[in-house]
């Protein structure tokens, strides 16, 4: 999975707004960013902002976990 894949998955509408806010808040706190704007810029599709390898590993696992969670629940309620 690439950074751009993570960005697309984050923005594809499967992960609900409240959950995206949770991911953003956790990322900012965990990695010591002073504002959430830095996260927003990093996660923008096509952005030139690149996370560190540790940040990217966290983003890949977290976004994938949330995406799977909401995908499974959408299938359950269909």
């Amino acid at each position: 999975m690439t950074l751009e894949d993570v960005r697309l998955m984050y923005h594809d509408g499967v992960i609900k707004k409240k959950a995206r806010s949770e991911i953003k808040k956790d990322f900012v706190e965990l990695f010591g960013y002073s504002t959430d704007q830095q996260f927003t810029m990093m996660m923008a599709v096509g952005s030139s902002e690149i996370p560190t390898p540790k940040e990217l590993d966290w983003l890949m696992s977290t976004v994938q976990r949330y995406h799977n969670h909401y995908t499974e629940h959408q299938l359950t309620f269909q």
Side-chain angles (χ1 to χ4, degrees):
M1 179 181 300
T2 67
L3 173 57
E4 203 59 25
D5 292 335
V6 173
R7 289 171 172 162
L8 291 170
M9 190 180 296
Y10 181 79
H11 291 291
D12 70 2
V14 172
I15 301 173
K16 304 302 178 204
K17 184 176 182 176
K18 182 178 180 182
R20 287 194 316 271
S21 294
E22 191 174 276
I23 293 169
K24 182 190 302 185
K25 178 181 170 289
D26 290 350
F27 182 90
V28 169
E29 288 177 4
L30 181 63
F31 293 106
Y33 282 82
S34 56
T35 69
D36 62 4
Q37 183 63 30
Q38 294 163 296
F39 174 85
T40 301
M41 290 172 51
M42 187 181 305
M43 290 303 287
V45 174
S47 173
S48 62
E49 297 290 324
I50 306 296
T52 68
K54 186 176 181 179
E55 291 169 343
L56 181 58
D57 289 345
W58 186 90
L59 284 168
M60 286 191 314
S61 65
T62 303
V63 171
Q64 181 71 56
R65 182 168 49 90
Y66 275 71
H67 197 274
N68 289 346
H69 171 79
Y70 284 102
T71 299
E72 290 169 10
H73 281 84
Q74 285 179 350
L75 293 174
T76 301
F77 293 115
Q78 287 184 355

